[in-house]
Amino acid sequence: MASGQLSRAGALACSGCRHACHVMLYCDTKTQLFGRIPIRHIILMQMRFDGLLGFPGGYVNPSEETLEAGLSRELLEELGVALPISAEDHVDCCHAPASSPSSTSRLIIHFYVKKMEEEQIKEVEKEAASTATDHGQEVLGMVRVPLYNTKNGGGLAPFLSHSFIGNARSQLVDSLLRLDMIAPEELHKALAHSLKIHTHTAEDLQAALTRTEAKRNWF
C-alpha cells in the first residue's frame, strides 16, 4: 500500500472521521478529433461551484449508508442519473491533502473508477445538463479530459495546468497510468509542458494584478 493510503476497513474504522466518495466515469471511444487525432477514451470530470475541477461525488455517512449507496445518491444529485456503484469499483482511500479546505476535519477521500459504454457516458452528460438538481449550482458543468497532445501543445498539458480540488489531479494521473490509457512518456511530456504553462500563467496573473492595482488607485 502506498504511503499515506488507507485500507478500506481501516478507513471505515477511523473514529471521528468524515468520508467523501468520488468516481471517475470513463469509456473507450473510436472517435477522432478533426478526423485525425484519436481521442481514445472519454473521462468525465466537472467544474465545481468553487471554480476547481474535480470528480463527481461528495460526502457520505457510513453510519447511515454504505459508501457506494452514498456515492450513488450524490451522483443522482450531480448527474441526474442513478448509477450503481459497487465495492469492486473502489480503488483507494486516503486522508485529504493538507492543502484541502476540509483537511482539518479528518476527512477521508474514497476514490472509485467505473468503466461504462460510450452511449451511457453520453447519456450521463445529457442528464447532467438537463435534469440534475445540482447543475448550475454546486456543479457548473461536466467536462471531458483531453487525452491527446496536439502539435502546438494543446490538449492534456493545458488541462492538467488548471486548478483541481484536493488530490483530484493525482487521482487522474494515477488512473491514466494504472489503466494504461496513455503511455508514461507521453504523460510525462504533458506534465512537463503543464509546468511551463503554470509559469506563464503566474506571470500573466501578476500582470493582471498590477493593472488592477493601478486602476484601483485611480478611485
Side-chain angles (χ1 to χ4, degrees):
M1 185 176 298
S3 175
Q5 289 191 333
L6 304 167
S7 67
R8 179 188 174 96
L12 291 174
C14 180
S15 177
C17 288
R18 302 172 68 197
H19 298 262
C21 297
H22 298 86
V23 62
M24 185 182 91
L25 304 174
Y26 80 98
C27 72
D28 300 329
T29 181
K30 295 182 179 179
T31 58
Q32 296 183 328
L33 178 66
F34 307 132
R36 55 185 175 79
I37 301 176
I39 293 178
R40 299 179 291 195
H41 311 282
I42 298 174
I43 298 176
L44 296 185
M45 296 192 74
Q46 59 188 19
M47 177 62 72
R48 296 159 41 96
F49 67 95
D50 51 14
L52 301 175
L53 289 170
F55 289 104
Y59 292 110
V60 303
N61 188 346
S63 66
E64 299 179 353
E65 58 189 349
T66 65
L67 295 175
E68 291 73 35
L71 177 54
S72 293
R73 170 181 51 75
E74 286 291 328
L75 295 181
L76 179 59
E77 296 173 2
E78 296 184 358
L79 306 180
V81 180
L83 294 176
I85 303 295
S86 69
E88 288 70 31
D89 298 322
H90 190 273
V91 174
D92 59 43
C93 54
C94 63
H95 286 286
S99 59
S100 171
S102 303
S103 60
T104 57
S105 62
R106 302 186 67 194
L107 177 66
I108 293 179
I109 305 294
H110 299 265
F111 187 57
Y112 293 74
V113 173
K114 183 178 181 64
K115 186 174 184 180
M116 305 173 69
E117 297 297 326
E118 186 169 359
E119 287 305 313
Q120 293 176 310
I121 288 289
K122 291 180 178 179
E123 183 64 22
V124 167
E125 291 177 310
K126 176 183 176 181
E127 295 301 319
S130 60
T131 65
T133 57
D134 284 349
H135 179 69
Q137 299 182 51
E138 291 187 28
V139 179
L140 301 184
M142 303 300 298
V143 296
R144 294 186 179 189
V145 180
L147 292 182
Y148 46 81
N149 294 301
T150 63
K151 292 182 179 179
N152 63 354
L156 184 58
F159 185 85
L160 292 173
S161 72
H162 293 312
S163 295
F164 291 72
I165 183 69
N167 60 346
R169 179 168 28 223
S170 295
Q171 291 172 333
L172 173 61
V173 170
D174 291 345
S175 296
L176 294 180
L177 292 173
R178 185 190 307 113
L179 299 172
D180 294 322
M181 289 184 164
I182 187 172
E185 57 272 18
E186 188 176 355
L187 179 56
H188 183 272
K189 180 180 178 181
L191 287 167
H193 185 52
S194 183
L195 281 174
K196 294 180 180 179
I197 295 175
H198 258 300
T199 300
H200 174 74
T201 300
E203 295 172 348
D204 188 52
L205 286 171
Q206 184 58 55
L209 181 63
T210 300
R211 292 195 302 272
T212 304
E213 184 68 22
K215 289 187 177 181
R216 189 179 68 172
N217 292 335
W218 292 349
F219 298 95

